[in-house]
């Protein structure tokens, strides 16, 4: 769904002039893309009809027709995915529900990691008696995080007496939805008395999602959903439609197997990715999370700190995507990751004095050979790093002195500091 919609928008934006025929073609492609990914027919038609009606009835000063179409498409898709969810960071109970194979137990561990990273104390309990291996899997995940784990025989007592900030309960599950499971979940809901109920549901189950969402919601009123296996799924529309129909927001997306592969869902950031547009808000938030600090001076010391912090922002492909560069060849991304590692090793081989005074390398070339030996790279690699650093230094100075360019950049990217 993502690549097909992105290609359609890129083709539309690439036209020098657009007319009604081009808009209709884009709307048709949008419908086909949504329907092929199992989005409900009525929802897909409603979305395109709303865009077409607003184009006819509304005017927007300062916008070209092309900009109006993309803006309306962005707004309507954002509305379809619902309000962005803000995780509660106060003391509360969370109940996880879902079928076996949905990633529920792994998600319990990921949630524990997420809240722990926010500085909160976390406890995780299991009420799943059907799968002993699942209880052991959960125990291992939780104990690696230095969180508290309560097995089934201690879980109920802990529910009413927990001292931690966050109490996550992994509930009963089955391979298929049936009345026995739903009745059991209703009983467990009354025992847990959760502040939030998260439905863990895979993105790739297609139209089957409609029945799951409706049935689970009756057994335990769903606060929000955690959508797993989202990356690469071509049938995510079924889940998205089912959640939209019941006005259930998406809280998190599971984006991989690693414990940290859980992202809070932001509708506007997600739609930016769908359409191939830059996600400046997400990029700035990632930079804040990685503690990329503003500095009045630029030298190899500050550059080294920012390089390390940039690595904490996540894979280079994710960061490039947030900047709107979604289709960078994999080979270039791999080269970029390797280059960052190499540069980190080179700077790490420099003395504190050299990092703070990079001009010294221009005066004493022997320092370059010594650093190269320490980093285990050819001298040419050290020269390349220094050359790129001095070019960057020159560009930053130029930007700081050019108030006109700086003003435009800050207008395009709120939160940018130079």
């Amino acid at each position: 769904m993502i690549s097909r919609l992105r290609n359609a928008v890129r083709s539309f934006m690439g036209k020098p002039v657009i007319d009604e025929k081009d808009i209709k073609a884009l709307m048709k492609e949008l419908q086909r893309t949504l329907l092929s990914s199992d989005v409900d027919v009525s929802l897909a038609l409603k979305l395109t009809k709303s865009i077409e009606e607003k184009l006819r009835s509304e005017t927007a000063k300062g916008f070209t027709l092309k900009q109006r179409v993309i803006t309306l498409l962005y707004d309507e898709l954002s509305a379809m995915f619902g309000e962005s969810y803000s995780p509660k960071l106060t003391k509360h109970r969370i109940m996880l529900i879902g079928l076996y194979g949905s990633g529920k137990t792994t998600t319990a561990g990921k949630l524990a990691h997420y809240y722990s990273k926010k500085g909160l104390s976390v406890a995780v309990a299991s009420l799943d008696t059907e799968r002993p291996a699942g209880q052991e899997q959960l125990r291992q995940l939780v104990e690696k995080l230095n969180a508290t784990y309560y097995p089934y025989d201690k879980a109920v007592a802990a529910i009413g007496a927990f001292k931690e900030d966050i109490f996550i309960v992994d509930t009963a599950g089955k391979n298929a939805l049936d009345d026995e499971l739903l009745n059991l979940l209703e009983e467990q809901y009354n025992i847990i008395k959760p502040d939030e109920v998260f439905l863990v549901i895979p993105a790739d189950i297609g139209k089957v999602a409609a029945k799951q969402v409706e049935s689970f919601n009756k057994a335990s009123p769903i606060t929000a959903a955690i959508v797993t296996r989202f990356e690469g799924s071509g049938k995510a529309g079924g889940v998205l439609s089912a959640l939209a129909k019941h006005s259930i927001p998406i809280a998190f997306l599971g984006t991989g197997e690693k414990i940290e592969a859980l992202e809070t869902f932001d509708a506007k950031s997600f739609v930016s990715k769908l359409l191939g547009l830059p996600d400046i808000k997400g990029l700035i938030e990632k930079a804040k999370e990685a503690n990329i600090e503003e500095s009045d001076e630029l030298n190899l010391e500050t550059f080294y700190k920012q390089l390390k912090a940039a690595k904490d922002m996540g894979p280079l492909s994710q960061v490039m995507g947030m900047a709107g560069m979604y289709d960078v060849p994999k080979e270039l991304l791999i080269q970029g990751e390797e280059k960052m590692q190499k540069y980190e090793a080179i700077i790490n081989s420099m003395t504190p004095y050299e990092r703070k005074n990079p001009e010294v390398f221009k005066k004493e070339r022997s320092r370059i050979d010594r650093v190269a030996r320490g980093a285990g790279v050819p001298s040419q690699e050290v020269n390349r790093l220094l050359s790129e650093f001095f070019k960057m230094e020159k560009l930053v100075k130029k930007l700081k002195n050019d108030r006109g360019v700086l003003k435009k950049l800050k207008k395009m990217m709120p939160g940018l500091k130079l």
Side-chain angles (χ1 to χ4, degrees):
M1 176 171 77
I2 293 177
S3 60
R4 185 170 172 179
L5 187 52
R6 195 180 292 157
N7 289 337
V9 170
R10 186 188 291 121
S11 175
F12 180 81
M13 292 290 286
K15 295 179 184 293
V17 179
I18 62 159
D19 55 22
E20 191 173 339
K21 183 180 175 183
D22 296 313
I23 296 171
K24 283 187 176 180
L26 178 62
M27 293 301 105
K28 283 289 182 187
E29 182 58 27
L30 176 59
Q31 289 174 3
R32 283 193 289 265
T33 302
L34 294 175
L35 293 174
S36 68
S37 64
D38 284 341
V39 169
D40 184 73
V41 176
S42 60
L43 196 62
L45 295 176
K46 180 183 175 183
L47 187 143
T48 52
K49 185 180 179 182
S50 178
I51 294 172
E52 290 170 337
E53 286 178 351
K54 287 178 180 178
L55 279 171
R56 286 194 294 268
S57 61
E58 298 176 6
T59 56
K61 290 183 179 179
F63 281 78
T64 65
L65 180 57
K66 188 188 295 183
Q67 289 170 335
R68 282 179 63 207
V69 172
I70 296 301
T71 301
L72 284 172
L73 177 57
Y74 175 86
D75 290 342
E76 291 295 322
L77 282 170
S78 297
M80 184 180 87
F81 293 123
E83 293 293 321
S84 296
Y85 172 85
S86 296
K88 290 173 65 174
L89 299 179
T90 53
K91 185 170 182 173
H92 68 289
R93 299 183 183 114
I94 297 170
M95 176 178 177
L96 295 182
I97 59 176
L99 294 178
Y100 290 153
S102 64
K104 181 164 61 72
T105 300
T106 304
T107 298
K110 289 181 178 182
L111 273 179
H113 175 266
Y114 173 83
Y115 286 110
S116 294
K117 290 281 282 183
K118 296 290 181 184
L120 302 172
S121 57
V122 182
V124 182
S126 175
L127 286 182
D128 184 3
T129 57
E130 297 290 324
R131 222 166 48 102
Q135 291 190 45
E136 179 60 21
Q137 177 194 359
L138 186 57
R139 183 190 67 78
Q140 291 179 10
L141 283 170
V142 172
E143 290 182 353
K144 283 180 183 177
L145 301 170
N146 293 320
T148 306
Y149 174 70
Y150 294 101
Y152 178 81
D153 57 344
K154 297 180 180 178
V156 175
I159 288 168
F162 73 95
K163 296 178 181 179
E164 291 80 7
D165 298 316
I166 309 295
F167 194 84
I168 302 166
V169 185
D170 183 20
T171 59
K174 279 196 171 186
N175 290 316
L177 200 61
D178 59 23
D179 290 339
E180 184 183 352
L181 174 61
L182 296 175
N183 290 335
L184 182 54
L185 286 175
E186 194 171 343
E187 289 175 17
Q188 292 185 346
Y189 177 84
N190 292 327
I191 293 170
I192 299 166
K193 295 181 174 58
D195 300 291
E196 293 186 302
V197 178
F198 289 155
L199 170 64
V200 182
I201 188 167
D204 55 7
I205 60 174
K207 294 178 181 178
V208 178
K211 184 182 178 183
Q212 281 195 28
V213 172
E214 184 176 5
S215 300
F216 277 121
N217 200 33
K218 286 178 182 176
S220 340
I222 300 168
T223 307
I226 299 177
V227 183
T228 60
R229 302 204 294 266
F230 194 87
E231 291 297 314
S233 173
K235 295 294 180 182
V239 169
L240 299 174
S241 297
L243 295 172
K245 182 179 178 181
H246 294 275
S247 300
I248 297 170
I250 300 172
F252 297 92
L253 291 180
T255 56
E257 295 297 322
K258 293 183 179 178
I259 196 76
E260 63 272 13
L262 187 73
E263 297 178 3
T264 51
F265 180 79
D266 182 282
K268 291 186 176 180
S269 294
F270 178 70
V271 172
S272 293
K273 183 176 181 179
L274 268 184
L275 302 181
L277 305 174
D279 175 19
I280 301 303
K281 179 186 172 186
L283 198 56
I284 290 171
E285 285 177 356
K286 278 281 186 186
K288 285 180 179 176
E289 285 177 12
N291 292 319
I292 296 183
E293 301 173 358
E294 181 185 9
S295 177
D296 291 330
E297 59 177 338
L298 177 63
N299 53 43
L300 287 167
E301 180 75 36
T302 56
F303 179 66
Y304 178 62
K305 288 178 181 177
Q306 292 187 351
L307 188 66
K308 289 183 75 175
K311 286 175 68 179
D312 293 336
M313 288 176 66
L316 191 57
S317 57
Q318 187 182 58
V319 177
M320 296 289 276
M322 285 180 171
M325 294 177 279
Y326 294 95
D327 299 317
V328 178
K330 188 176 180 180
E331 294 77 16
L332 287 181
L333 291 173
I334 292 170
Q335 288 174 18
E337 298 275 9
E338 290 173 349
K339 195 178 204 181
M340 286 176 71
Q341 291 174 2
K342 197 176 290 182
Y343 281 2
E344 188 176 355
I346 292 171
I347 298 173
N348 207 28
S349 297
M350 296 177 182
T351 65
Y353 176 79
E354 289 168 340
R355 292 183 199 172
K356 290 182 180 179
N357 302 277
E359 294 289 332
V360 73
F361 286 103
K362 293 180 179 178
K363 300 172 184 176
E364 299 176 47
R365 306 295 295 179
S366 60
R367 290 178 181 267
I368 293 175
D369 295 330
R370 193 203 78 250
V371 169
R373 286 194 299 272
V377 299
S379 298
Q380 294 94 312
E381 294 292 345
V382 181
N383 281 321
R384 186 176 290 115
L385 165 61
L386 292 170
S387 174
E388 291 182 11
F389 171 78
F390 289 128
K391 284 178 184 176
M392 181 178 66
E393 184 183 46
K394 188 177 179 181
L395 177 62
V396 170
K397 285 179 181 177
K398 187 177 180 181
L399 284 173
K400 281 185 174 180
N401 294 329
D402 192 331
R403 294 184 179 275
V405 172
L406 192 57
K407 191 174 179 181
K408 286 178 183 177
L409 278 173
K410 287 190 173 182
K411 190 175 179 182
M412 290 167 61
M413 298 174 65
L416 177 70
K417 294 180 180 180
L418 284 171

mmCIF file of all heavy atoms in Angstrom, residues 1-31:
data_model
loop_
_atom_site.group_PDB
_atom_site.id
_atom_site.type_symbol
_atom_site.label_atom_id
_atom_site.label_comp_id
_atom_site.label_asym_id
_atom_site.label_seq_id
_atom_site.Cartn_x
_atom_site.Cartn_y
_atom_site.Cartn_z
ATOM 1 N N MET A 1 0.833 -1.211 0.000
ATOM 2 C CA MET A 1 0.000 0.000 0.000
ATOM 3 C C MET A 1 0.862 1.252 0.000
ATOM 4 O O MET A 1 0.607 2.198 -0.733
ATOM 5 C CB MET A 1 -0.922 0.003 1.220
ATOM 6 C CG MET A 1 -1.749 1.279 1.351
ATOM 7 S SD MET A 1 -3.028 1.225 2.635
ATOM 8 C CE MET A 1 -2.063 1.453 4.098
ATOM 9 N N ILE A 2 1.910 1.250 0.851
ATOM 10 C CA ILE A 2 2.720 2.457 1.016
ATOM 11 C C ILE A 2 3.425 2.850 -0.282
ATOM 12 O O ILE A 2 3.323 3.993 -0.727
ATOM 13 C CB ILE A 2 3.741 2.271 2.158
ATOM 14 C CG1 ILE A 2 2.998 2.166 3.492
ATOM 15 C CG2 ILE A 2 4.728 3.421 2.199
ATOM 16 C CD1 ILE A 2 3.895 1.905 4.684
ATOM 17 N N SER A 3 4.134 1.904 -0.917
ATOM 18 C CA SER A 3 4.901 2.246 -2.119
ATOM 19 C C SER A 3 3.980 2.639 -3.274
ATOM 20 O O SER A 3 4.296 3.559 -4.037
ATOM 21 C CB SER A 3 5.794 1.073 -2.522
ATOM 22 O OG SER A 3 5.026 -0.072 -2.788
ATOM 23 N N ARG A 4 2.836 1.957 -3.397
ATOM 24 C CA ARG A 4 1.918 2.257 -4.500
ATOM 25 C C ARG A 4 1.328 3.665 -4.371
ATOM 26 O O ARG A 4 1.277 4.414 -5.353
ATOM 27 C CB ARG A 4 0.803 1.215 -4.516
ATOM 28 C CG ARG A 4 -0.142 1.362 -5.695
ATOM 29 C CD ARG A 4 -1.067 0.166 -5.801
ATOM 30 N NE ARG A 4 -2.089 0.376 -6.808
ATOM 31 C CZ ARG A 4 -3.022 -0.507 -7.129
ATOM 32 N NH1 ARG A 4 -3.032 -1.694 -6.524
ATOM 33 N NH2 ARG A 4 -3.917 -0.240 -8.053
ATOM 34 N N LEU A 5 0.908 4.023 -3.165
ATOM 35 C CA LEU A 5 0.332 5.351 -2.951
ATOM 36 C C LEU A 5 1.394 6.428 -3.106
ATOM 37 O O LEU A 5 1.159 7.488 -3.699
ATOM 38 C CB LEU A 5 -0.292 5.409 -1.552
ATOM 39 C CG LEU A 5 -1.090 6.669 -1.196
ATOM 40 C CD1 LEU A 5 -2.145 6.964 -2.251
ATOM 41 C CD2 LEU A 5 -1.734 6.513 0.172
ATOM 42 N N ARG A 6 2.592 6.133 -2.614
ATOM 43 C CA ARG A 6 3.693 7.095 -2.712
ATOM 44 C C ARG A 6 4.045 7.362 -4.180
ATOM 45 O O ARG A 6 4.296 8.506 -4.578
ATOM 46 C CB ARG A 6 4.900 6.545 -1.962
ATOM 47 C CG ARG A 6 5.976 7.566 -1.678
ATOM 48 C CD ARG A 6 7.111 6.894 -0.946
ATOM 49 N NE ARG A 6 6.720 6.497 0.392
ATOM 50 C CZ ARG A 6 7.319 5.535 1.078
ATOM 51 N NH1 ARG A 6 8.317 4.866 0.555
ATOM 52 N NH2 ARG A 6 6.920 5.243 2.294
ATOM 53 N N ASN A 7 4.054 6.316 -5.002
ATOM 54 C CA ASN A 7 4.359 6.466 -6.425
ATOM 55 C C ASN A 7 3.294 7.286 -7.140
ATOM 56 O O ASN A 7 3.599 8.099 -8.022
ATOM 57 C CB ASN A 7 4.479 5.090 -7.093
ATOM 58 C CG ASN A 7 5.735 4.351 -6.665
ATOM 59 O OD1 ASN A 7 6.702 4.969 -6.238
ATOM 60 N ND2 ASN A 7 5.720 3.035 -6.778
ATOM 61 N N ALA A 8 2.023 7.084 -6.751
ATOM 62 C CA ALA A 8 0.929 7.836 -7.367
ATOM 63 C C ALA A 8 1.055 9.328 -7.053
ATOM 64 O O ALA A 8 0.868 10.182 -7.931
ATOM 65 C CB ALA A 8 -0.415 7.305 -6.875
ATOM 66 N N VAL A 9 1.389 9.642 -5.805
ATOM 67 C CA VAL A 9 1.549 11.042 -5.392
ATOM 68 C C VAL A 9 2.762 11.656 -6.070
ATOM 69 O O VAL A 9 2.716 12.801 -6.539
ATOM 70 C CB VAL A 9 1.677 11.141 -3.852
ATOM 71 C CG1 VAL A 9 2.089 12.551 -3.428
ATOM 72 C CG2 VAL A 9 0.362 10.757 -3.196
ATOM 73 N N ARG A 10 3.862 10.891 -6.179
ATOM 74 C CA ARG A 10 5.069 11.399 -6.834
ATOM 75 C C ARG A 10 4.788 11.723 -8.305
ATOM 76 O O ARG A 10 5.227 12.755 -8.816
ATOM 77 C CB ARG A 10 6.190 10.373 -6.724
ATOM 78 C CG ARG A 10 7.526 10.889 -7.264
ATOM 79 C CD ARG A 10 8.578 9.804 -7.339
ATOM 80 N NE ARG A 10 8.990 9.378 -6.012
ATOM 81 C CZ ARG A 10 8.897 8.146 -5.559
ATOM 82 N NH1 ARG A 10 8.361 7.191 -6.319
ATOM 83 N NH2 ARG A 10 9.315 7.829 -4.359
ATOM 84 N N SER A 11 4.044 10.845 -8.968
ATOM 85 C CA SER A 11 3.691 11.068 -10.374
ATOM 86 C C SER A 11 2.827 12.314 -10.527
ATOM 87 O O SER A 11 3.037 13.136 -11.427
ATOM 88 C CB SER A 11 2.948 9.846 -10.912
ATOM 89 O OG SER A 11 2.492 10.070 -12.216
ATOM 90 N N PHE A 12 1.875 12.474 -9.612
ATOM 91 C CA PHE A 12 0.968 13.642 -9.635
ATOM 92 C C PHE A 12 1.754 14.933 -9.398
ATOM 93 O O PHE A 12 1.571 15.922 -10.104
ATOM 94 C CB PHE A 12 -0.110 13.456 -8.569
ATOM 95 C CG PHE A 12 -1.101 14.582 -8.486
ATOM 96 C CD1 PHE A 12 -2.164 14.654 -9.379
ATOM 97 C CD2 PHE A 12 -0.978 15.561 -7.508
ATOM 98 C CE1 PHE A 12 -3.083 15.691 -9.295
ATOM 99 C CE2 PHE A 12 -1.890 16.599 -7.412
ATOM 100 C CZ PHE A 12 -2.949 16.666 -8.307
ATOM 101 N N MET A 13 2.639 14.913 -8.401
ATOM 102 C CA MET A 13 3.415 16.109 -8.067
ATOM 103 C C MET A 13 4.413 16.464 -9.166
ATOM 104 O O MET A 13 4.804 17.618 -9.316
ATOM 105 C CB MET A 13 4.174 15.868 -6.756
ATOM 106 C CG MET A 13 3.280 15.767 -5.531
ATOM 107 S SD MET A 13 2.517 17.318 -5.074
ATOM 108 C CE MET A 13 3.914 18.191 -4.380
ATOM 109 N N GLY A 14 4.816 15.459 -9.931
ATOM 110 C CA GLY A 14 5.802 15.689 -10.985
ATOM 111 C C GLY A 14 5.249 16.337 -12.237
ATOM 112 O O GLY A 14 6.011 16.779 -13.104
ATOM 113 N N LYS A 15 3.933 16.410 -12.358
ATOM 114 C CA LYS A 15 3.326 17.034 -13.546
ATOM 115 C C LYS A 15 3.488 18.553 -13.482
ATOM 116 O O LYS A 15 3.197 19.168 -12.441
ATOM 117 C CB LYS A 15 1.831 16.686 -13.626
ATOM 118 C CG LYS A 15 1.557 15.197 -13.843
ATOM 119 C CD LYS A 15 0.064 14.922 -13.887
ATOM 120 C CE LYS A 15 -0.223 13.424 -13.999
ATOM 121 N NZ LYS A 15 0.205 12.862 -15.278
ATOM 122 N N PRO A 16 3.943 19.183 -14.548
ATOM 123 C CA PRO A 16 4.132 20.646 -14.528
ATOM 124 C C PRO A 16 2.819 21.400 -14.347
ATOM 125 O O PRO A 16 2.759 22.426 -13.675
ATOM 126 C CB PRO A 16 4.769 20.949 -15.891
ATOM 127 C CG PRO A 16 4.488 19.751 -16.732
ATOM 128 C CD PRO A 16 4.365 18.599 -15.826
ATOM 129 N N VAL A 17 1.751 20.867 -14.959
ATOM 130 C CA VAL A 17 0.416 21.486 -14.847
ATOM 131 C C VAL A 17 -0.590 20.357 -14.632
ATOM 132 O O VAL A 17 -0.490 19.303 -15.261
ATOM 133 C CB VAL A 17 0.043 22.276 -16.124
ATOM 134 C CG1 VAL A 17 -1.341 22.881 -15.984
ATOM 135 C CG2 VAL A 17 1.076 23.359 -16.405
ATOM 136 N N ILE A 18 -1.575 20.581 -13.754
ATOM 137 C CA ILE A 18 -2.604 19.558 -13.545
ATOM 138 C C ILE A 18 -3.986 20.120 -13.868
ATOM 139 O O ILE A 18 -4.218 21.330 -13.799
ATOM 140 C CB ILE A 18 -2.600 19.017 -12.096
ATOM 141 C CG1 ILE A 18 -2.919 20.133 -11.098
ATOM 142 C CG2 ILE A 18 -1.305 18.338 -11.754
ATOM 143 C CD1 ILE A 18 -3.424 19.609 -9.774
ATOM 144 N N ASP A 19 -4.880 19.236 -14.238
ATOM 145 C CA ASP A 19 -6.260 19.621 -14.504
ATOM 146 C C ASP A 19 -7.202 18.612 -13.847
ATOM 147 O O ASP A 19 -6.762 17.720 -13.113
ATOM 148 C CB ASP A 19 -6.527 19.728 -16.018
ATOM 149 C CG ASP A 19 -6.159 18.444 -16.755
ATOM 150 O OD1 ASP A 19 -6.113 17.371 -16.102
ATOM 151 O OD2 ASP A 19 -5.909 18.496 -17.972
ATOM 152 N N GLU A 20 -8.493 18.739 -14.113
ATOM 153 C CA GLU A 20 -9.497 17.875 -13.497
ATOM 154 C C GLU A 20 -9.266 16.397 -13.830
ATOM 155 O O GLU A 20 -9.482 15.511 -12.996
ATOM 156 C CB GLU A 20 -10.897 18.294 -13.954
ATOM 157 C CG GLU A 20 -12.006 17.620 -13.159
ATOM 158 C CD GLU A 20 -13.374 18.173 -13.516
ATOM 159 O OE1 GLU A 20 -13.457 19.296 -14.042
ATOM 160 O OE2 GLU A 20 -14.352 17.451 -13.263
ATOM 161 N N LYS A 21 -8.781 16.153 -15.039
ATOM 162 C CA LYS A 21 -8.508 14.772 -15.460
ATOM 163 C C LYS A 21 -7.420 14.146 -14.585
ATOM 164 O O LYS A 21 -7.521 12.978 -14.184
ATOM 165 C CB LYS A 21 -8.074 14.785 -16.935
ATOM 166 C CG LYS A 21 -7.837 13.400 -17.521
ATOM 167 C CD LYS A 21 -7.409 13.521 -18.985
ATOM 168 C CE LYS A 21 -7.060 12.139 -19.549
ATOM 169 N NZ LYS A 21 -6.574 12.248 -20.955
ATOM 170 N N ASP A 22 -6.386 14.912 -14.274
ATOM 171 C CA ASP A 22 -5.295 14.407 -13.423
ATOM 172 C C ASP A 22 -5.787 14.126 -12.001
ATOM 173 O O ASP A 22 -5.374 13.144 -11.375
ATOM 174 C CB ASP A 22 -4.145 15.419 -13.371
ATOM 175 C CG ASP A 22 -3.491 15.624 -14.722
ATOM 176 O OD1 ASP A 22 -3.204 14.612 -15.393
ATOM 177 O OD2 ASP A 22 -3.281 16.776 -15.108
ATOM 178 N N ILE A 23 -6.674 14.999 -11.507
ATOM 179 C CA ILE A 23 -7.209 14.818 -10.147
ATOM 180 C C ILE A 23 -8.063 13.554 -10.083
ATOM 181 O O ILE A 23 -7.946 12.761 -9.145
ATOM 182 C CB ILE A 23 -8.040 16.055 -9.724
ATOM 183 C CG1 ILE A 23 -7.138 17.286 -9.636
ATOM 184 C CG2 ILE A 23 -8.732 15.799 -8.380
ATOM 185 C CD1 ILE A 23 -7.878 18.587 -9.444
ATOM 186 N N LYS A 24 -8.897 13.348 -11.095
ATOM 187 C CA LYS A 24 -9.742 12.142 -11.133
ATOM 188 C C LYS A 24 -8.877 10.876 -11.201
ATOM 189 O O LYS A 24 -9.187 9.863 -10.568
ATOM 190 C CB LYS A 24 -10.693 12.202 -12.320
ATOM 191 C CG LYS A 24 -11.888 13.136 -12.093
ATOM 192 C CD LYS A 24 -12.886 13.041 -13.231
ATOM 193 C CE LYS A 24 -14.116 13.897 -12.937
ATOM 194 N NZ LYS A 24 -15.111 13.835 -14.033
ATOM 195 N N ALA A 25 -7.802 10.945 -11.978
ATOM 196 C CA ALA A 25 -6.897 9.789 -12.092
ATOM 197 C C ALA A 25 -6.255 9.477 -10.746
ATOM 198 O O ALA A 25 -6.122 8.303 -10.368
ATOM 199 C CB ALA A 25 -5.826 10.073 -13.141
ATOM 200 N N LEU A 26 -5.870 10.526 -10.002
ATOM 201 C CA LEU A 26 -5.271 10.325 -8.681
ATOM 202 C C LEU A 26 -6.289 9.719 -7.711
ATOM 203 O O LEU A 26 -5.969 8.814 -6.946
ATOM 204 C CB LEU A 26 -4.748 11.657 -8.120
ATOM 205 C CG LEU A 26 -4.133 11.595 -6.714
ATOM 206 C CD1 LEU A 26 -2.904 10.690 -6.701
ATOM 207 C CD2 LEU A 26 -3.776 12.996 -6.208
ATOM 208 N N MET A 27 -7.547 10.211 -7.769
ATOM 209 C CA MET A 27 -8.597 9.689 -6.886
ATOM 210 C C MET A 27 -8.884 8.218 -7.197
ATOM 211 O O MET A 27 -9.099 7.406 -6.290
ATOM 212 C CB MET A 27 -9.880 10.516 -7.028
ATOM 213 C CG MET A 27 -9.769 11.961 -6.524
ATOM 214 S SD MET A 27 -9.327 12.117 -4.778
ATOM 215 C CE MET A 27 -7.598 12.622 -4.908
ATOM 216 N N LYS A 28 -8.876 7.868 -8.471
ATOM 217 C CA LYS A 28 -9.121 6.470 -8.868
ATOM 218 C C LYS A 28 -7.992 5.565 -8.362
ATOM 219 O O LYS A 28 -8.235 4.459 -7.873
ATOM 220 C CB LYS A 28 -9.219 6.365 -10.403
ATOM 221 C CG LYS A 28 -10.548 6.833 -10.979
ATOM 222 C CD LYS A 28 -11.666 5.844 -10.635
ATOM 223 C CE LYS A 28 -12.990 6.277 -11.251
ATOM 224 N NZ LYS A 28 -14.104 5.412 -10.776
ATOM 225 N N GLU A 29 -6.759 6.043 -8.510
ATOM 226 C CA GLU A 29 -5.610 5.259 -8.050
ATOM 227 C C GLU A 29 -5.640 5.123 -6.528
ATOM 228 O O GLU A 29 -5.297 4.074 -5.976
ATOM 229 C CB GLU A 29 -4.303 5.917 -8.503
ATOM 230 C CG GLU A 29 -3.039 5.155 -8.122
ATOM 231 C CD GLU A 29 -2.997 3.727 -8.656
ATOM 232 O OE1 GLU A 29 -3.635 3.448 -9.709
ATOM 233 O OE2 GLU A 29 -2.344 2.883 -8.015
ATOM 234 N N LEU A 30 -6.079 6.190 -5.846
ATOM 235 C CA LEU A 30 -6.203 6.150 -4.394
ATOM 236 C C LEU A 30 -7.226 5.090 -3.979
ATOM 237 O O LEU A 30 -6.986 4.294 -3.072
ATOM 238 C CB LEU A 30 -6.626 7.532 -3.867
ATOM 239 C CG LEU A 30 -6.908 7.643 -2.360
ATOM 240 C CD1 LEU A 30 -5.687 7.253 -1.533
ATOM 241 C CD2 LEU A 30 -7.355 9.063 -2.013
ATOM 242 N N GLN A 31 -8.363 5.073 -4.675
ATOM 243 C CA GLN A 31 -9.388 4.061 -4.390
ATOM 244 C C GLN A 31 -8.857 2.648 -4.610
ATOM 245 O O GLN A 31 -9.048 1.755 -3.770
ATOM 246 C CB GLN A 31 -10.625 4.302 -5.275
ATOM 247 C CG GLN A 31 -11.441 5.521 -4.899
ATOM 248 C CD GLN A 31 -12.557 5.799 -5.900
ATOM 249 O OE1 GLN A 31 -12.754 5.044 -6.853
ATOM 250 N NE2 GLN A 31 -13.290 6.884 -5.694
#
